[in-house]
Amino acid sequence: MDILLKNAQIITLDENDNLIREGSIGIRNNIIDYIGCNKQSHEEVYSKVIDCKGGAVMPGFVNAHNHLAMTMFRNYADDMKLMDWLFTKIFPLEDKLTEDAVYWGSLLAMVEMIKSGTTTFADMYFFMESTARAVSESGMRAVLSRGLQGESGEEDLDYRIRESTELLEKYHNSNNGRIKVMLAPHSVYTCSEAYLRKVAGKSREQGVPVQIHLSETREEVKTCIEKFGRSPVRYLEDLGLLNDKTVAAHCVAVDDSDIEILASRKVNVVHNPGSNMKLASGIAPVAKMLSKGINVCLGTDGASSNNNLDMLEEMRLAAYLQKILADDPTVLPAEMVMKMATLRGAAALGFENAGSIEVGKTADLIVLNTEKAHYYPKYNIISAIVYSGNSSDVEAVIIDGNLVMEGGHLITLDEERIFYKAQKCALKLTGQ
Ligand code: NI
């Protein structure tokens, strides 16, 4: 569908940070082909025209670290320590997951993400074919990874890596390039050294990037030093798992030498402030990592440790936390945090053609209704969205040139059916 968005305030996040007070964006064959004043937009050549009067258009959010079907465990086990929560509540339930539960759990996550303006996400979980099917139906853009954990025998390890390879062969670059596949060893504390070496080998051999949880807590770091005499970052560096395509979630408990390694390897770091706060993991030194040139982006982590998938909330938490950490309100300003939630996330996940509004780029963008009290008086639109915006302001969502939400209503997904099915699956899983 060819779409024209007119009368919009446009936040481009392009090289020059161009802001257009009132203009149009033309989309043809999934690509942005026009950005400019309303008069010259040639409205007649587009089959669909959306009047955005009173609204703002910005790049869609990129949630760079998530476990979609953990929506199944949302509000099931809260107020617990990470290791307790994982080993006594989450891992036993994950053993009971089914294709069906992951499918409906993923769709539930997608309803929430689209409605709050997310166009792209990275997922690491199980039964990923179910999630791939859900991506195909929803129209979202995604990095999918089969979660890899292994302390067990060789055969078991091979079976999980084989599933990863099958996912890669079947889905990488599928759905018009909307799906990419990565390898996802869970962490240094759930994968043996032999296993991590095997994953590093596969990554090199197949040219597939790796996403992993890294230095999420001080406890993880302490155990790693006791076991291997090195920090998790140094350990992964020695195993050959760090490069400019690696996506490392958290990096909360990193010291200066870890940051040096992450910077020199150009590793992409995903900050998950909501999850880190809820699990009392600590505050990642985001401003410091950014100052060293590290590409830091944003994620929510799974809905069970956040407990929502709202990137607007995540932006605000990220900004606040860094200001507190530095005891300095000038740290991590609104523009930077918005780029972390969009442009920087797209680059981290290898979707370089998305993440900003520029002619020739893929059309992944959202329309926010700014005719609301919390946007008045109107000064700086970026500040307004970051510090005053609500996810319910999102009115329309376009992904890969396709309209997936308009007027606040989902087009590709049946919300009511998804709620019903997800609830049924969740009760079955938890035996309630
Ligand atoms: Ni995670």
Side-chain angles (χ1 to χ4, degrees), residues 114-378:
I114 294 172
K115 290 200 106 171
S116 53
T118 293
T119 51
T120 300
F121 64 86
D123 190 20
M124 58 163 98
Y125 218 50
F126 314 108
F127 299 106
M128 293 310 290
E129 291 225 12
S130 297
T131 308
R133 196 152 55 94
V135 172
S136 182
E137 289 165 22
S138 69
M140 290 192 80
R141 189 179 300 284
V143 162
L144 303 180
S145 300
R146 196 241 187 261
L148 302 169
Q149 302 180 15
E151 296 280 356
S152 47
E154 273 297 306
E155 207 176 304
D156 191 29
L157 304 189
D158 284 347
Y159 134 79
R160 287 173 184 167
I161 290 182
R162 203 164 48 241
E163 276 190 7
S164 235
T165 305
E166 280 165 16
L167 190 73
L168 180 80
E169 284 165 358
K170 204 161 164 189
Y171 290 104
H172 188 58
N173 282 330
S174 69
N175 287 267
N176 200 31
R178 281 193 290 111
I179 297 182
K180 286 184 189 290
V181 174
M182 287 189 188
L183 287 164
H186 177 269
S187 62
V188 301
Y189 57 91
T190 50
C191 299
S192 68
E193 186 178 342
Y195 196 41
L196 287 172
R197 281 191 194 284
K198 198 158 200 164
V199 173
K202 281 281 167 197
S203 168
R204 271 193 302 274
E205 188 187 303
Q206 298 173 328
V208 193
V210 163
Q211 55 166 337
I212 187 166
H213 295 96
L214 183 58
S215 295
E216 182 172 355
T217 59
R218 282 184 298 277
E219 193 180 337
E220 174 188 334
V221 176
K222 188 171 156 260
T223 312
C224 188
I225 291 172
E226 279 164 13
K227 233 169 141 182
F228 303 105
R230 285 159 288 176
S231 72
V233 172
R234 168 77 61 190
Y235 177 52
L236 289 192
E237 158 77 347
D238 292 346
L239 293 175
L241 275 160
L242 301 183
N243 58 57
D244 62 350
K245 302 272 189 300
T246 306
V247 179
H250 300 298
C251 297
V252 169
V254 287
D255 63 16
D256 287 351
S257 64
D258 291 330
I259 292 174
E260 283 304 321
I261 294 171
L262 294 170
S264 69
R265 289 290 174 194
K266 298 187 166 60
V267 171
N268 302 283
V269 170
V270 190
H271 179 42
N272 303 272
S275 175
N276 297 156
M277 288 170 80
K278 182 161 183 276
L279 293 165
S281 302
I283 307 175
V286 169
K288 196 180 224 178
M289 290 193 275
L290 286 168
S291 75
K292 298 286 177 187
I294 295 174
N295 181 39
V296 186
C297 51
L298 273 187
T300 57
D301 212 343
S304 184
S305 66
N306 187 302
N307 288 358
N308 63 40
L309 308 176
D310 183 341
M311 289 291 286
L312 266 159
E313 182 178 295
E314 224 61 37
M315 284 199 296
R316 202 168 303 152
L317 292 177
Y320 291 171
L321 272 183
Q322 290 309 301
K323 293 173 197 310
I324 289 287
L325 185 67
D327 193 18
D328 178 357
T330 67
V331 166
L332 205 60
E335 289 82 356
M336 176 52 96
V337 84
M338 186 178 273
K339 284 181 183 171
M340 286 168 61
T342 53
L343 189 62
R344 283 172 169 264
L349 302 186
F351 293 117
E352 288 86 359
N353 209 35
S356 62
I357 298 179
E358 294 175 66
V359 169
K361 277 205 157 188
T362 312
D364 284 17
L365 44 88
I366 60 176
V367 183
L368 294 109
N369 178 1
T370 57
E371 281 304 299
K372 295 189 175 183
H374 55 273
Y375 285 101
Y376 274 91
K378 292 190 174 178

